[in-house]
Amino acid sequence: MASFGWKRKIGEKVSKATSQQFEAEAADDKDLGDDDDGNWVLAAKRRKEVLLEDCIRKSKELKDEGANLAENRRYREALVKWDEALQLTPEDATLYEMKSQVLMSLHEMFPAVHAAEMAVQRNPRSWDAWQTLGRAQLGLGEIALAIRSFQVSLHIFPMNPEVWKEDLSWARKLQDQQKATKTESGQTLAKGKELVQESIPDYDFESDEIVAVCAAIAEKEKALSAAKTMVIVSASGTVETVTEQDNCPATPDETLFIRAR
């Protein structure tokens, strides 16, 4: 019968020098593995940076192509280019501001306001974006909002003569005209109400003329009501209408057959 005894570990037969060499090689392999992990992270980061650079470069190319198209009044084609650029760089405020300008040239004011608002959201410090937003709002008739946008643009860039002399002055002139028009409309409406009130005569129902007319009408009605009529059918079948007075009644003779009032 086989007997089982304690088995010596294999590692105990390995010399100390061999063991130290193994441990050193293992440490080198570990360092190499750590280096590989670090290199992989750096490589992924580098690829991301390269991809971002490619997107920015391609977006700039599309932006420039759209600008050239817009200068040649090919607005629809320019919008297509800028939409493609926004797919690559959606945070580019300049693209939205340029879109707003082109949309205003196409008289599409609601999309123009929306594009300008997107530009302002992405870059609140852009005086160009605020100026374009004010012009789009002015195209919609929102004069008060446009004045505020122009004021913000001037706050960012106070030395801009275009906003001072053209945009803001024009918006304030329109605002004054709007106030004047409202005032004239209110005055015209008030005058119309006064004319309507004056056109209705104020009768004095207790005047002598009115009393005399009423008395004459009453006498006429009294005279008419005093006269009575009756329909008489004779025995021969003849129908006759006879008027009689209350104080002088007519007495029918023996030839009358029927009398109906």
Side-chain angles (χ1 to χ4, degrees):
M1 187 175 194
S3 59
F4 295 91
W6 178 76
K7 297 178 65 176
R8 186 181 299 274
K9 293 182 180 179
I10 297 177
E12 294 181 359
K13 295 181 180 180
V14 180
S15 64
K16 183 176 181 180
T18 304
S19 177
Q20 291 176 351
Q21 183 180 0
F22 177 78
E23 291 176 357
E25 292 176 353
D28 293 339
D29 292 340
K30 183 178 180 182
D31 293 338
L32 182 61
D34 293 340
D35 292 340
D36 290 340
D37 292 340
N39 291 334
W40 181 84
V41 173
L42 291 174
K45 185 177 180 180
R46 180 55 185 166
R47 283 195 296 270
K48 183 177 180 181
E49 291 175 354
V50 171
L51 180 60
L52 181 60
E53 291 174 357
D54 290 340
C55 289
I56 294 174
R57 177 181 55 80
K58 182 62 176 176
S59 176
K60 186 178 183 305
E61 292 177 359
L62 292 169
K63 181 193 296 185
D64 294 339
E65 291 176 8
N68 292 330
L69 291 169
E71 289 178 359
N72 294 321
R73 299 181 181 275
R74 298 165 63 180
Y75 299 131
R76 296 294 180 186
E77 297 177 53
L79 289 174
V80 172
K81 294 293 182 182
W82 291 336
D83 285 336
E84 292 178 3
L86 284 171
Q87 296 296 323
L88 300 172
T89 54
E91 297 302 318
D92 192 343
T94 306
L95 287 169
Y96 284 106
E97 192 268 334
M98 294 166 69
K99 277 190 64 177
S100 180
Q101 292 187 50
V102 167
L103 289 168
M104 281 190 284
S105 298
L106 294 172
H107 304 287
E108 298 181 9
M109 293 304 173
F110 281 104
V113 171
H114 180 262
E117 288 175 345
M118 297 290 285
V120 168
Q121 290 176 8
R122 279 154 178 75
N123 187 7
R125 299 295 301 172
S126 173
W127 65 267
D128 286 326
W130 283 105
Q131 181 187 26
T132 302
L133 176 59
R135 290 179 175 179
Q137 291 168 336
L138 204 60
L140 279 181
E142 298 292 342
I143 300 175
L145 294 177
I147 290 176
R148 178 185 177 278
S149 298
F150 293 142
Q151 289 173 343
V152 174
S153 179
L154 283 171
H155 179 75
I156 298 170
F157 184 26
M159 302 305 295
N160 188 351
E162 184 180 16
V163 179
W164 270 115
K165 296 179 180 179
E166 297 181 12
D167 297 316
L168 188 57
S169 61
W170 173 246
R172 286 176 173 170
K173 183 178 180 181
L174 291 177
Q175 189 178 48
D176 293 339
Q177 292 177 355
Q178 188 181 53
K179 291 180 179 179
T181 302
K182 289 182 178 179
T183 302
E184 291 177 359
S185 299
Q187 292 176 353
T188 302
L189 182 61
K191 289 180 180 178
K193 290 182 178 179
E194 291 176 0
L195 290 174
V196 171
Q197 292 176 355
E198 291 176 358
S199 63
I200 300 176
D202 187 11
Y203 291 108
D204 184 7
F205 292 98
E206 295 182 356
S207 63
D208 296 338
E209 293 81 0
I210 299 298
V211 172
V213 170
C214 292
I217 294 174
E219 291 294 331
K220 184 176 181 181
E221 291 292 334
K222 183 177 179 181
L224 291 175
S225 61
K228 297 181 180 179
T229 59
M230 60 181 177
V231 179
I232 300 174
V233 181
S234 63
S236 61
T238 302
V239 179
E240 183 180 0
T241 301
V242 179
T243 301
E244 65 176 352
Q245 301 292 332
D246 288 339
N247 53 0
C248 300
T251 302
D253 55 13
E254 66 277 2
T255 62
L256 298 181
F257 181 69
I258 297 174
R259 186 173 71 174
R261 292 190 181 277

